[in-house]
């Protein structure tokens, strides 16, 4: 079973040289720590920045320089600032190669629910609906089950949707899966996790059409 | 026709109860601090505020919420504000949540005189309810209307007496979009210079969009999430 | 009867302090030479400039700095450059207070024809259709009659239209007229020109509802 | 992933017969001179060119026209070119004239992933023929679609190895809009510097929109209307 950092590490393997990537809040943010050697990736922050760097050194925080999670950050050489319309413009136009974000639920047809729990206070969708509606390639990073040990990979999402038919791949603490016409196709399993366990914790249709290898990092 | 005002209090003199205001900023970054304080002091009520966020309990739009000056909030994310939560649950506050890119683009559309645009954000979700949708090249989009606002309150880094504005880093965010969209746009700047002192090639918001400008003071520029790394 | 410069001079009287103005090619360009004392006007050039100044001094021409007529120009303090989408954005949004342009024909309901003569080569409408469709206030500067001494102020335009119901005022070599629900309302006549002459050279409905004063400059 | 190319010839290597190209510039101001020369040399034919103007007889897109490489021209104003006129009257060339603001906005829409926008330009004229129109708040607008182009060829003043671009003065014009809209965007710049040497706050076109960049040479920057005043 993977921890959050290992999920991030596995997702980082999906990065290709030259990619522009938008990383959501939570596990997705950790992906930046595992960018493979020799691969040059540019991070987009939807509040108006390309070329996001690491957190600043203590004392070098700049209130005018934050990411979409409102954290103080830095820029890397070759960065640029722009307004929010251009930021979502480049997202909508498919210029961002990969979007990694968290989710509460994903359905077997690629729907995602991530922003609202009825009965609980609604905080808002922020940029998530724009991202999932437009991104060329969406990877969801999440735990395979919720705190009640219920599957988060469902036939149909129960929570209000963020977007439909959009998720391409899911990396959980148990497995790597891709969305196909017929449901979740199991690609890899976490070291020490059995296919049976993944089956039992996946409510949506699970396709196992070959020997399932262990994830590599 | 002088655009320069002495301070926020003078610049917002005619903002009235029930007005629709756009307020620039993302979180607490790039918000019109001086204008918000002046609005709080003026005590205008029943405001409809269009802003990406609603500030925190004791800063930003949170100040206006605490003071019960806001009737309706149109935003994309309001998760940082307990007072907001309380008023919403008590039915004291109306809120309309819209996707961030839609919010930005509806402001831009207003500034560009485009009455409506199409975006895929929200298709298949509750955001699409009651909205017209349309398929272009096999993909579904929602029609979204340009925003209207009586006033846009924006914050820039540098400005000149002709109303030209330059923003700093990610404090740009919604500011240039809202600056274009206000019936009356009021800009507060950290540094106000004479026309001619800014490089015309580096202007983010041309002065034609800015009706009033003043040099703000005592900027707090509060940081919401101070994150640092080890040296 | 006015010459082109006098037409421009009369139009300049319509300028108000703080106005943003777009001046078309031809007579409209000359308006810049007659901006009244104490009135501060900012000229917009739709190729991406606010704050257009006079022509450069010999030897100071800058190929990167031209107006919409492709002439070398200069900038004034407080100017700004922007792209063509923003330029027409501010036009469309009604931020430009006054647009002055030439025309081949104007009809009594404010239609304008200015870009195309069937049978002759079409050069294109450039930004004229955008300007007339969006400007808050449009003044047409033109001769009252064409080279065949036929009226250019018509019941209906005969040439292909540039825009409809958009012209507010017309300044010709003979008169100043405004467009009303019922046709051209004569406001002023050029010094030495009779109302009868204006009548005879105006094909569209001409409203004369008072004593007509001479233009003042 | 290197974006930097040695010269125009290498950067346009895969432009092929029948491709749709956007070319930046207004008149001869801010046109991709090096790319045009390379296209002329390469001899690709049946091009569909989207550009505000068509150059003059012996410069700009005029060079491609003279060489009979252009099948169709989409522009707002083409009045400066006798060869253009000849080909058009002979039926050798197809031309589509559209309002300048519509041209600009259709490029921007493409770069912003907005499939269609509404503009009042052309309502009631022959430009409206065959187009869908719609009334918003009592005013009629035409629906205009985002442009598509295989390649966008743009010219900037400064650029860096990450593809960021800064334009100079009115040479900006259509360049940033087309840069956003190309399936492949090729930028030629007067001065190419290392990533990090341009101020990120002053970038006009973020590098994400630019796929290839090279430092051009021998810029002629021809002036169409040299107008001067007495000193």
């Amino acid at each position: 079973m993977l921890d959050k950092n290992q999920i991030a590490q596995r997702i980082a393997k999906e990065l290709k040289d030259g990619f522009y990537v938008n990383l959501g809040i939570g596990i997705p943010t950790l992906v930046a720590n595992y960018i493979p050697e020799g691969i040059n990736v540019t991070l987009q922050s939807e509040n108006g920045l390309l070329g996001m760097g690491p957190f600043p050194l203590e004392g070098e925080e700049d209130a005018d320089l934050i990411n979409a999670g409102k954290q103080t950050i830095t820029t890397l050489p070759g960065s640029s600032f722009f307004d929010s319309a251009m930021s979502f413009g480049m997202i909508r136009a498919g210029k961002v190669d990969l979007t990694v974000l968290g989710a509460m639920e994903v359905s077997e047809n690629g729907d995602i629910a991530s922003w609202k729990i009825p009965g609980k206070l609604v905080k808002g969708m922020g940029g998530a609906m724009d991202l999932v509606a437009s991104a060329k390639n969406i990877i969801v990073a999440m735990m395979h089950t919720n705190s009640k040990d219920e599957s988060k990979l469902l036939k149909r999402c129960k929570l209000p949707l963020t977007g439909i038919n959009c998720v391409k791949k899911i990396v959980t603490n148990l497995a790597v899966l891709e969305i196909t016409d017929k449901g979740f196709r199991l690609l890899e399993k976490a070291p020490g996790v059995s296919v049976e366990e993944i089956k039992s914790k996946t409510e949506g249709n699970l396709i196992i059409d070959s020997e399932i290898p262990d994830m590599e990092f | 026709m002088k655009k320069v005002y002495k301070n926020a209090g003078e610049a917002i003199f005619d903002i009235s109860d029930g007005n629709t205001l756009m307020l620039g900023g993302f979180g607490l970054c790039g918000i019109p601090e001086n204008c918000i304080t002046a609005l709080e002091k003026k005590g205008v009520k029943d405001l409809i505020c269009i802003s990406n966020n609603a500030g925190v309990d004791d800063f930003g739009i949170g100040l206006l919420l605490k003071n019960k000056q806001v009737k309706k909030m149109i935003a994309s994310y309001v998760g940082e504000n307990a007072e907001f939560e309380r008023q919403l649950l008590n039915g004291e506050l109306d809120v309309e949540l819209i996707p961030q890119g839609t919010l930005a683009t509806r402001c831009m559309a207003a500034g560009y005189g485009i009455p409506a645009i199409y975006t895929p954000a929200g298709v298949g979700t509750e955001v699409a309810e009651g909205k017209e949708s349309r398929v272009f090249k096999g993909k579904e989009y929602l029609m979204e209307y340009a925003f209207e606002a009586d006033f846009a309150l924006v914050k820039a880094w540098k400005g000149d007496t002709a109303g030209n504005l330059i923003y700093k880093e990610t404090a740009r965010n919604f500011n240039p979009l809202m600056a274009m969209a206000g019936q009356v746009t009021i800009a507060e700047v950290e540094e106000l210079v004479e026309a001619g002192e800014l490089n015309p090639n580096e202007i983010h918001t041309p002065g034609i969009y800015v009706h009033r400008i003043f040099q703000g003071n005592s900027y707090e520029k509060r940081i919401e999430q101070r994150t640092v790394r080890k040296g």
Side-chain angles (χ1 to χ4, degrees), chain A residues 45-107:
Chain A
S45 190
E46 68 265 26
N47 57 319
L49 166 63
L50 273 168
M52 180 164 59
F55 294 146
L57 292 170
E58 178 111 34
E60 292 182 1
E61 310 92 312
D62 177 351
D64 292 320
L65 182 47
I66 64 170
N67 65 17
K70 282 124 190 169
Q71 298 170 311
T72 47
I73 44 138
T74 58
T75 59
L76 296 175
S79 64
S80 56
F81 297 107
F82 35 84
D83 66 46
S84 301
M86 180 179 265
S87 186
F88 285 96
M90 61 184 68
I91 288 166
R92 223 184 281 114
K95 304 292 176 181
V96 174
D97 299 290
L98 176 64
T99 294
V100 183
L101 73 175
M104 297 166 181
E105 297 174 350
V106 174
S107 73

Side-chain angles (χ1 to χ4, degrees), chain A residues 115-117 120-125, chain B residues 78-79 84 88 97 126:
Chain A
W115 75 286
K116 186 176 180 179
I117 302 176
K120 278 205 181 181
L121 187 79
V122 185
K123 291 175 188 286
M125 68 290 282
Chain B
V78 292
F84 181 94
L88 185 62
L97 292 169
E126 63 182 58

